[in-house]
């Protein structure tokens, strides 16, 4: 039986396809030993490498993608953030835990400022997750493999992750968090990906569920009737590539 859940429309358009779920990154190693002088070097190197990676990706693209990647690279070079991490390590906190704690404090500051600054929190989370993965020797946080064009569903997405999306395969985005004016939403709209954010019932969506996303209205239809899907897509000529994908 089909079900409708709602959020805030962040990028207009209509998308239809199977749901692909993005799971959260691994996070700090809670069992790691106390910080050492060697960790000070490791952390600084990790921040430099992550910043360079974002900067290279900014150089390889243009427009809103390049701008957001460039700003994220700048966050990974922020001296106040890095110095806070180093101070925590010097006090005996483990490296990845120190990164998590320092970024949490930075995010709290951004949140208190509100407005545009609060929207940078997702960018900072992306830096945190990449640095922690680098320190733990794990693959950098990535997107699920999308074999059939469909809908990407997540708690949240960093703008840097949106910038990597293949618009021929990602036909819509559904997020539990984020906001209509976030970098994530702005970038998704610039790429023409229908997006709904602040979806409180996001957890109702299971991997493989067929989703119909109406970005303008902020509605997600879970396993809608095929006839209803065809009528909706047929009434949206701007979504021709989606209809073509649906009909094979």
């Amino acid at each position: 039986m089909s079900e409708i859940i709602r959020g805030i429309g962040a990028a207009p358009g209509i998308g239809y396809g199977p749901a692909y779920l993005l799971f959260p990154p691994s996070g700090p190693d809670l069992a790691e030993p106390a910080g050492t002088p060697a960790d000070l070097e490791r952390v600084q190197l990790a921040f430099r490498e992550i910043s360079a990676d974002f900067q290279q990706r900014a150089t390889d693209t243009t427009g809103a993608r390049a701008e957001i990647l460039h700003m994220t690279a700048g966050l990974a070079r922020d001296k106040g953030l890095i110095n806070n991490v180093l101070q925590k390590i010097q006090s005996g906190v483990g490296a990845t835990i120190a990164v998590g704690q320092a970024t949490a404090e930075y995010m709290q500051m951004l949140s208190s400022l509100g407005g545009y600054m609060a929207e940078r929190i997702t960018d900072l989370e992306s830096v945190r997750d990449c640095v922690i993965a680098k320190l733990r020797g794990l693959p950098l946080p990535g997107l699920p493999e999308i074999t059939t064009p469909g809908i990407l569903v997540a708690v949240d997405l960093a703008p840097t992750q949106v910038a990597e999306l293949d618009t021929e395969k990602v036909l819509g985005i559904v997020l539990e968090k984020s906001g209509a004016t976030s970098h994530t939403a702005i970038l998704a709209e610039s790429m023409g990906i229908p997006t709904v954010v602040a979806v409180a019932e996001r957890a109702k969506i299971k991997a493989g569920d067929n989703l119909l996303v109406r970005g303008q209205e902020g509605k997600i239809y879970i396993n809608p009737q095929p006839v209803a899907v065809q009528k909706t897509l047929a009434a949206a000529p701007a979504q021709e590539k989606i209809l073509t994908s649906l009909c094979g």
Side-chain angles (χ1 to χ4, degrees), residues 67-68 70-72 75 109-123 181-183 186:
E67 181 180 352
I68 289 172
H70 176 73
M71 287 190 289
T72 305
L75 277 177
M109 178 192 71
L110 294 177
S111 179
S112 68
L113 293 174
Y116 172 78
M117 298 306 294
E119 299 291 358
R120 301 300 308 278
I121 289 176
T122 306
D123 305 326
T181 60
S182 67
H183 280 163
I186 291 169

Side-chain angles (χ1 to χ4, degrees), residues 203-216:
K204 288 186 175 182
I205 300 172
K206 309 303 180 186
D209 280 345
N210 287 317
L211 303 181
L212 178 64
V213 176
R214 300 183 68 101
Q216 185 72 33

